[in-house]
């Protein structure tokens, strides 16, 4: 069907790839699905893992990345981990950049890519997004993937940069500012994984001697003070209790681990920020893979993640035809 009106509008297709750790492997599926539908991608804006996949794609090595990730194991994940003194982060990040260098040449520059790419990072001091549209790709990616507390922040000129997902987990506005008239966004944070806190906090705490909760807690109301009763128990062997809390195998149904708490906090932040972004910057088509069960570092289950990306794309097939392909 001929659509003569399309010649009077901006028909450039921009792809916004969101942040989300291992969930971002679903971006691979989305891009492949768009290619199969003959929908061109004219420009990409990516945050964190979204920037990684976008850069690898524009370097022409996405299939190689996909093939390698489908065979990726926990052992290989551990080989990328380069622990350091936990002052600004647990990992140096050097091994991760070496890993990416298999798909992105060390001297490759953003401005030399065949299509425009924007890599989003966050200024540690101002909280504002920093957008790389030129310069060394790997250096920009190192900043964009610097998950707070996990990877040491990146020093760039006089700035300290952290993960792009902190300031802008779904850069729809960025890809529009690049000149796209039609936008496809991939949101990796449409919801949050729910933990059954009643079981964990109430019964679990009793099991390990951390029963600090009472039914008569009074919460703050306007200017009133919070009234929290004294703990029911005074436990002398606090070190033993903390040791039991850390032991995930012995009390795996009691409390989430320190890393689970941390990553859930990051997920909450990115989910809330994404919802705010979508209020003011609605994409033409929004794709949201079902990945609530996927952890930030679950790269070893790439097949499930990529499959979810295909499924989410297929759900939007009619919308992609009607709102994108019909206009290009």
């Amino acid at each position: 069907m001929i659509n003569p009106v399309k010649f009077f509008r901006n028909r450039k297709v921009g792809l916004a790839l969101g942040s989300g750790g291992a969930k971002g492997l679903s971006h691979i599926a989305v891009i492949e699905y768009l290619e199969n539908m003959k929908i061109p991608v004219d420009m990409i804006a990516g945050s964190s893992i979204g920037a990684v996949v976008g850069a690898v794609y524009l370097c022409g090595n996405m299939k190689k990345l996909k093939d390698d990730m489908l065979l990726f194991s926990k052992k290989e994940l551990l080989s990328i981990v380069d622990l350091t003194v936990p002052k600004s982060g647990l990992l140096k990040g050097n091994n991760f950049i070496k890993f990416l260098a298999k798909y992105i040449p060390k001297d490759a520059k953003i401005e030399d890519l065949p299509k425009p790419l924007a890599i989003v990072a966050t200024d540690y001091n101002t909280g504002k997004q920093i957008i790389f549209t030129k310069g060394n790709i790997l250096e920009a990616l190192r900043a964009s993937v610097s998950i707070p507390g996990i990877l040491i922040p990146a020093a760039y000129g006089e700035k300290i940069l952290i993960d792009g997902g902190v300031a802008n987990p779904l850069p729809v506005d960025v890809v529009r500012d690049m000149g796209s008239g039609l936008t496809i966004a991939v949101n990796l944070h449409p919801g949050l994984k729910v933990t059954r806190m009643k079981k964990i906090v109430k019964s679990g705490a009793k099991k390990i001697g951390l029963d600090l909760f009472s039914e008569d807690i009074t919460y703050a109301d306007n200017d009133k003070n919070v009234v929290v009763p004294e703990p029911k128990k005074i436990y002398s062997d606090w070190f033993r209790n903390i040791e039991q809390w850390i032991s995930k195998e012995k009390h795996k149904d009691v409390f989430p681990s320190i890393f689970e708490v941390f990553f859930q906090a990051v997920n909450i932040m990115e989910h809330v920020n994404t919802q705010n972004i979508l209020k003011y910057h609605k994409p033409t088509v929004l794709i949201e893979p079902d990945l609530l069960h996927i952890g930030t570092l679950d790269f070893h289950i790439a097949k499930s993640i990529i499959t979810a990306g295909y499924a989410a794309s297929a759900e939007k097939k009619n919308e992609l035809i009607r709102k994108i392909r019909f206009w290009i």
Side-chain angles (χ1 to χ4, degrees), residues 172-191:
V172 180
D173 58 327
V174 177
V175 81
R176 279 189 178 155
D177 290 344
M178 293 169 70
S180 67
L182 303 166
T183 57
I184 301 169
V186 187
N187 175 21
L188 303 181
H189 296 283

Side-chain angles (χ1 to χ4, degrees), residues 80-267:
I80 298 176
V81 172
D82 48 359
L83 292 171
T84 185
V85 178
K87 183 178 180 181
S88 300
L90 293 174
L91 308 179
K92 297 177 184 177
N94 296 338
N95 287 353
F96 180 68
I97 295 302
K98 288 179 183 178
F99 173 78
L100 288 183
K102 295 192 295 183
Y103 314 100
I104 301 170
K106 292 181 180 180
D107 58 350
K109 296 185 179 298
I110 302 173
E111 60 266 35
D112 294 333
L113 292 170
K115 296 178 181 179
L117 171 68
I119 296 173
V120 180
T122 301
D123 188 316
Y124 173 79
N125 289 308
T126 67
K128 295 181 179 179
Q129 64 180 5
I130 301 296
I131 303 170
F132 292 91
T133 55
K134 60 181 181 179
N136 184 277
I137 297 175
L138 289 176
E139 288 182 5
L141 290 178
R142 174 61 182 82
S144 186
V145 301
S146 298
I147 302 174
I150 301 299
L151 263 68
I152 293 176
Y156 200 88
E158 296 181 354
K159 297 182 182 298
I160 299 174
L161 303 181
I162 56 177
D163 195 285
V166 174
N168 193 345
L170 188 61
V172 180
D173 58 327
V174 177
V175 81
R176 279 189 178 155
D177 290 344
M178 293 169 70
S180 67
L182 303 166
T183 57
I184 301 169
V186 187
N187 175 21
L188 303 181
H189 296 283
L192 293 168
K193 182 179 178 181
V194 177
T195 302
R196 300 302 173 190
M197 294 306 295
K198 184 174 181 180
K199 176 183 176 183
I200 290 175
V201 176
K202 299 293 286 184
S203 63
K206 289 180 181 179
K207 289 181 181 178
I208 63 171
L210 295 178
D211 183 15
L212 309 182
F213 303 93
S214 173
E215 298 297 336
D216 58 354
I217 290 179
T218 304
Y219 295 93
D221 182 16
N222 297 328
D223 295 329
K224 296 179 181 178
N225 294 324
V226 179
V227 179
V228 180
E230 290 295 319
K232 291 181 182 178
K233 293 183 181 179
I234 301 297
Y235 45 93
S236 56
D237 194 359
W238 60 270
F239 184 82
R240 175 180 58 81
N241 291 324
I242 296 299
E243 186 178 36
Q244 289 177 329
W245 172 71
I246 293 173
S247 178
K248 188 176 179 181
E249 291 301 316
K250 189 173 182 180
H251 300 287
K252 60 183 179 181
D253 292 325
V254 179
F255 287 132
S257 72
I258 187 171
F259 288 107
E260 288 171 326
V261 171
F262 174 79
F263 285 125
Q264 179 70 347
V266 171
N267 287 334

Side-chain angles (χ1 to χ4, degrees), residues 71-83:
L71 299 174
F72 202 69
S73 65
K74 284 186 177 181
K75 184 177 180 180
E76 288 174 290
L77 178 61
L78 290 173
S79 70
I80 298 176
V81 172
D82 48 359
L83 292 171

Side-chain angles (χ1 to χ4, degrees), residues 14-55:
L15 185 60
L17 301 178
S19 60
K23 298 177 183 181
L25 296 179
S26 61
H27 292 321
I28 296 173
V30 173
I31 293 173
E32 288 186 342
Y33 195 88
L34 295 177
E35 287 183 333
N36 290 335
M37 288 190 68
K38 308 299 182 186
I39 294 177
V41 174
D42 297 304
M43 60 199 71
I44 298 175
S47 189
S48 197
I49 188 67
V52 170
V53 174

